[in-house]
Amino acid sequence: MNKDYIIWSIAERGFRLLSGFLLYAILAKYIGVKDFGILNLVTGVIAILSTLIYMGADNYNLYRIKDNKNLDVFIGSILVVRSIVFFILFWVLFFALKNFPDIRGYILVLSITMFFAIFSVFIQYIQSQGYFVLFSKLSCISLFFGAAIKIFGIYTNQSLLFFICAIILENLILTFLIVKYSKGFCYVIDCV
């Protein structure tokens, strides 16, 4: 087995667990029970809805990307379908949450991360090519920046909205790196 793969895979999973556990433990104490509950509710709702964007096709996509001769059309169709699902989910959220003003703004802001889920097909592309070390490195970079931003927020006594924006920025960094190091931004435009 590849030594780099083992090292980076363990580093990514360890960093994800450590930053998640420590930061959320500190964050729970720092922002208080009510805001921490809102943060968990908002991230949970978005995580559940993000799975609808994937539509359970990640393993199938991974299989099809590896040997697909018409890869541009296949990836383009995935991007278009996921974009349509994203916009439907966003508008459903927009109208369904009118009676919940306490969390509505937070969920709508964090729903930007559902938009980033559209581009997860490029994670599958990287994995189908066997670039597991590259994916682990890119994931570690985004986790590091996300943790640094959250620590800065705790240190500077920021509000709940700051930490929601930190989650968005962490996802944006990973999406940016995944698209850049898989096929590039021009490729996304060409596919669509």
Side-chain angles (χ1 to χ4, degrees), residues 52-105:
L52 294 176
I53 292 174
Y54 303 136
M55 295 181 290
D58 287 347
N59 291 331
Y60 176 75
N61 293 343
L62 187 62
Y63 167 74
R64 289 291 310 267
I65 288 171
K66 186 168 178 71
D67 299 323
N68 200 320
K69 295 184 181 7
N70 203 355
L71 189 61
D72 300 351
V73 173
F74 183 69
I75 289 178
S77 65
I78 291 170
L79 293 174
V80 168
V81 169
R82 287 182 177 184
S83 297
I84 292 168
V85 172
F86 163 75
F87 285 112
I88 291 170
L89 289 174
F90 179 81
W91 288 109
V92 166
L93 273 176
F94 184 79
F95 291 113
L97 294 171
K98 280 193 173 202
N99 296 329
F100 302 99
D102 291 347
I103 61 169
R104 184 177 190 224

Side-chain angles (χ1 to χ4, degrees), residues 23-38:
L23 279 176
Y24 275 96
I26 294 168
L27 195 60
K29 182 177 180 175
Y30 165 73
I31 65 174
V33 175
K34 180 184 176 196
D35 284 346
F36 189 69
I38 290 172

Side-chain angles (χ1 to χ4, degrees), residues 7-192:
I7 291 169
W8 279 103
S9 180
I10 290 172
E12 179 212 355
R13 296 211 182 7
F15 192 56
R16 187 176 301 279
L17 288 171
L18 184 65
S19 69
F21 176 74
L22 289 178
L23 279 176
Y24 275 96
I26 294 168
L27 195 60
K29 182 177 180 175
Y30 165 73
I31 65 174
V33 175
K34 180 184 176 196
D35 284 346
F36 189 69
I38 290 172
L39 179 66
N40 282 317
L41 175 66
V42 168
T43 55
V45 167
I46 296 301
I48 290 168
L49 292 177
S50 292
T51 60
L52 294 176
I53 292 174
Y54 303 136
M55 295 181 290
D58 287 347
N59 291 331
Y60 176 75
N61 293 343
L62 187 62
Y63 167 74
R64 289 291 310 267
I65 288 171
K66 186 168 178 71
D67 299 323
N68 200 320
K69 295 184 181 7
N70 203 355
L71 189 61
D72 300 351
V73 173
F74 183 69
I75 289 178
S77 65
I78 291 170
L79 293 174
V80 168
V81 169
R82 287 182 177 184
S83 297
I84 292 168
V85 172
F86 163 75
F87 285 112
I88 291 170
L89 289 174
F90 179 81
W91 288 109
V92 166
L93 273 176
F94 184 79
F95 291 113
L97 294 171
K98 280 193 173 202
N99 296 329
F100 302 99
D102 291 347
I103 61 169
R104 184 177 190 224
Y106 296 128
I107 288 181
L108 291 178
V109 169
L110 195 60
S111 68
I112 295 169
T113 60
M114 291 189 324
F115 178 75
F116 301 142
I118 295 169
F119 300 99
S120 69
V121 67
F122 293 105
I123 293 172
Q124 292 138 19
Y125 173 78
I126 287 173
Q127 292 173 339
S128 73
Q129 302 304 308
Y131 300 133
F132 300 109
V133 174
L134 174 64
F135 174 70
S136 292
K137 287 179 181 179
L138 298 178
S139 187
C140 282
I141 290 169
S142 71
L143 288 169
F144 174 77
F145 280 110
I149 293 166
K150 291 170 192 163
I151 290 169
F152 174 78
I154 292 169
Y155 183 73
T156 58
N157 201 18
Q158 297 295 323
S159 69
L160 177 60
L161 185 59
F162 177 88
F163 295 102
I164 289 175
C165 290
I167 294 169
I168 293 169
L169 192 57
E170 182 180 326
N171 280 279
L172 174 65
I173 291 169
L174 180 61
T175 302
F176 176 83
L177 293 172
I178 291 297
V179 172
K180 182 179 184 329
Y181 287 101
S182 62
K183 289 290 226 169
F185 299 103
C186 293
Y187 182 78
V188 174
I189 296 167
D190 290 343
C191 286
V192 176

